Amino acid sequence: MLKRLYKLLKPSNSNSPLIIQENEHNISERDISRSALRVVDQLRKNGFVAYLVGGCVRDLLLDGTPKDFDVATDATPEQVKSTFSRNARIIGRRFRIVHVRFGREIIEVTTFRGNPAEAKTKAKADHNQSEKGILLRDNVYGDIKSDALRRDFTVNALYYSPEDGTILDYAGGIEDLQKRQLRIIGDPNARYKEDPVRMLRAVRFASKLGFALTPESESPIYKHADYLADIPAARLFEEVLKLFISGSATAVLTKLREYGLLKFLFPGANNCLDSGIEYYEKLIFAMVSNTDRRLRSNKRVAPAFIYAAMLWPPLHAKIKELVEEQKLSHHDATQHASTGVISEQLSYTSIPKRFLITVREIWALQQKLSRREGKRALQTLEHPRFRAAYDFLLLREEAGEQLDGLGLWWTRFQDADEGERTDMIEKLPKSTKKRPRRRKSSAKPKSND
Ligand code: ATP
Ligand code: MG
């Protein structure tokens, strides 16, 4: 990370940053995306200042691979857009940023944020808070120092200049990186209040980096988890995905529960976990550890699979209640329960329609996987969601559900040739329960003649 720690002296003046010289750290241009370097270079050639900032600097210092590269500049979004013309698009309202695209890679360029309190008189001030103090818009521009202090955690507020290789630290991020701790910048209560999503970011970074939250950054989370109730469901959906595909979903889930945040994301799953029923806990934790394992081996993780598993315990509990107490058939209870569970979830986190369809398909296929007679097994195998549904079945068994070796049967069936498949179907135990014969429609009254 840092080569010569003894040389790091605190700046004499609190307005000037701690400067880490090129030969004092491990970041090399080779580790940085060409596109990000081009963006910084182009902005500088146009007379602006520009730095790499945020997660990429943090991860490079920790010898990790950045997920993406962010650039901060004194150019306004319009100036950035005209610098990159057709490659650039201004996006966001709450927080206007510019996406500069190079092929499949997008570099996010943000304009230095200022302190809204000092900028009230400025014509370009565009700052707006909800009644509860949540920042609705934060488009007041400032300089690099004010920008650093508007960021969330000290380790996310380090600026790297590719031009001379220096790192600028205005918030004490280097020291916290060395101590492997996560500290929110400024007054923790106020910063969580103005953007409650920072509590989720705290959980994500602490889990992913294996850092401890400083006590001042941690204690308000226990008290103010309910601030999350005021965040739009669409934003929470995005954050949920980031939390679960962080590569540390197991640690994330444990922390979300511990801080009382989970009930504002997945109230149904949270209740089921609190109920102490082992199957529910095992199923959810099997899902997160599978997710982490898949990401470690560079496999794709489907958001619908995560949702299908997080919502399975409340679905399961509801079906059980409808069957046992209201005497509904299993089929009707499933229909009823899935609609109820999904509509409750949508008031917490949104779920885009394409994912929602897949969630329902994974659930519906669970019943089909156990009906294998005749042509049914082959039809189920052809279903576009078969693979996800089969993985889900294995998850249920891993969580302790007794399904008479159904998972193993399907594992073999997939690998078998045509003859073996026919054989497997023939050998299925004959269902002892006779299906009730369909009665012909009695809509027409019988005539007596
Ligand atoms: P990663 O990309 O690895 O998830 P990151 O730290 O780069 O982590 P981004 O969401 O890409 O996170 O945001 C880039 C930077 O923008 C952050 O490092 C942080 O400095 C700042 N930032 C992002 N979200 C917030 C927020 N809600 N409040 C304050 N600053 C934020
Ligand atoms: Mg980033």
Side-chain angles (χ1 to χ4, degrees):
M1 175 171 70
L2 295 168
K3 291 179 188 159
R4 288 191 261 154
L5 305 183
Y6 58 89
K7 279 202 73 182
L8 298 177
L9 296 172
K10 290 236 159 101
S12 49
N13 170 347
S14 70
N15 259 330
S16 40
L18 172 70
I19 302 174
I20 319 292
Q21 300 298 335
E22 188 175 21
N23 60 355
E24 293 170 329
H25 62 73
N26 62 331
I27 299 184
S28 135
E29 271 202 16
R30 273 179 321 212
D31 307 323
I32 301 170
S33 124
R34 299 275 106 212
S35 318
L37 291 174
R38 264 169 78 182
V39 170
V40 171
D41 191 50
Q42 193 74 17
L43 284 167
R44 293 201 173 198
K45 283 191 177 136
N46 279 266
F48 302 110
V49 294
Y51 296 88
L52 291 176
V53 68
C56 61
V57 182
R58 175 198 73 214
D59 292 345
L60 288 171
L61 284 171
L62 292 170
D63 291 321
T65 313
K67 207 177 79 199
D68 47 36
F69 288 83
D70 300 311
V71 170
T73 177
D74 63 348
T76 62
E78 288 72 20
Q79 287 167 327
V80 176
K81 185 166 166 46
S82 62
T83 305
F84 298 98
S85 60
R86 272 188 292 146
N87 285 356
R89 226 157 56 95
I90 299 179
I91 61 156
R93 218 170 95 85
R94 194 178 64 85
F95 197 84
R96 295 176 79 220
I97 58 178
V98 186
H99 275 177
V100 184
R101 181 184 280 278
F102 296 93
R104 292 181 65 188
E105 192 178 6
I106 289 178
I107 305 299
E108 245 178 50
V109 184
T110 55
T111 303
F112 291 150
R113 281 332 189 244
N115 180 347
E118 286 168 15
K120 272 192 181 138
T121 52
K122 287 188 191 166
K124 59 181 172 180
D126 177 11
H127 170 81
N128 195 357
Q129 278 186 336
S130 76
E131 274 172 25
K132 295 192 177 161
I134 297 176
L135 260 187
L136 299 176
R137 275 214 294 274
D138 187 8
N139 292 311
V140 175
Y141 303 129
D143 59 15
I144 183 168
K145 184 174 179 216
S146 62
D147 187 73
L149 303 181
R150 300 284 307 147
R151 291 182 178 269
D152 49 4
F153 301 98
T154 62
V155 297
N156 286 350
L158 297 167
Y159 296 76
Y160 172 78
S161 160
E163 199 175 44
D164 61 9
T166 54
I167 294 172
L168 306 182
D169 176 10
Y170 290 87
I174 290 289
E175 191 180 333
D176 287 335
L177 213 56
Q178 284 169 343
K179 292 187 178 161
R180 302 186 68 80
Q181 63 186 15
L182 205 59
R183 178 196 303 279
I184 192 153
I185 298 171
D187 171 42
N189 270 308
R191 300 304 309 287
Y192 289 131
K193 188 169 187 182
E194 92 187 348
D195 185 3
V197 167
R198 289 175 188 146
M199 296 188 284
L200 300 178
R201 292 175 60 87
V203 166
R204 175 154 62 92
F205 295 128
S207 308
K208 188 171 116 172
L209 306 172
F211 279 23
L213 272 157
T214 61
E216 316 80 72
S217 306
E218 185 178 47
S219 60
I221 305 182
Y222 290 104
K223 281 184 263 161
H224 301 307
D226 64 329
Y227 287 168
L228 281 182
D230 297 310
I231 300 298
R235 188 165 175 220
L236 288 185
F237 172 76
E238 296 297 327
E239 286 306 317
V240 160
L241 288 196
K242 289 184 194 164
L243 286 162
F244 282 85
I245 57 174
S246 60
S248 310
T250 309
V252 160
L253 187 67
T254 308
K255 287 192 180 25
L256 287 177
R257 277 188 83 191
E258 190 184 312
Y259 292 129
L261 294 163
L262 190 65
K263 67 168 169 286
F264 296 97
L265 300 176
F266 290 102
N270 188 65
N271 281 341
C272 288
L273 288 170
D274 284 351
S275 72
I277 296 174
E278 208 185 355
Y279 169 58
Y280 296 152
E281 175 139 4
K282 279 191 170 169
L283 185 115
I284 288 179
F285 276 91
M287 181 275 286
V288 283
S289 78
N290 283 0
T291 303
D292 290 342
R293 208 175 318 126
R294 286 184 72 88
L295 290 168
R296 271 199 300 278
S297 40
N298 289 323
K299 287 192 190 149
R300 219 175 59 83
V301 172
F305 192 84
I306 296 171
Y307 267 81
M310 289 304 285
L311 300 180
W312 181 259
L315 178 78
H316 190 268
K318 190 73 193 166
I319 293 174
K320 197 162 179 281
E321 180 197 313
L322 292 175
V323 170
E324 286 173 8
E325 288 168 28
Q326 299 194 28
K327 310 292 174 212
L328 256 61
S329 70
H330 195 270
H331 178 267
D332 289 353
T334 305
Q335 293 292 319
H336 214 76
S338 38
T339 306
V341 165
I342 286 171
S343 80
E344 182 188 43
Q345 182 60 33
L346 292 178
S347 61
Y348 288 80
T349 72
S350 63
I351 312 175
K353 207 164 176 189
R354 64 185 191 283
F355 297 139
L356 206 48
I357 293 170
T358 311
V359 169
R360 281 182 175 273
E361 284 175 327
I362 292 174
W363 289 346
L365 280 165
Q366 296 311 299
Q367 281 189 26
K368 294 204 168 141
L369 284 168
S370 55
R371 306 212 183 109
R372 293 158 287 168
E373 314 80 28
K375 291 204 169 106
R376 288 181 171 180
L378 283 171
Q379 282 166 353
T380 303
L381 190 63
E382 293 299 309
H383 194 287
R385 300 286 162 252
F386 169 78
R387 186 68 212 194
Y390 161 73
D391 286 343
F392 198 84
L393 175 73
L394 298 184
L395 199 68
R396 289 166 57 202
E397 287 189 335
E398 195 182 329
E401 210 173 323
Q402 294 304 321
L403 297 167
D404 279 340
L406 192 58
L408 186 61
W409 190 92
W410 277 105
T411 308
R412 291 205 184 117
F413 191 73
Q414 289 173 75
D415 293 337
D417 62 29
E418 206 177 316
E420 289 164 341
R421 284 182 178 170
T422 315
D423 208 38
M424 284 178 79
I425 294 169
E426 274 172 9
K427 283 196 184 131
L428 283 172
K430 294 278 169 287
S431 164
T432 46
K433 214 168 68 182
K434 261 198 170 172
R435 303 184 111 243
R437 279 227 257 141
R438 277 226 183 144
R439 270 201 283 149
K440 286 220 175 105
S441 161
S442 54
K444 257 200 226 165
K446 272 185 193 161
S447 77
N448 278 332
D449 52 29

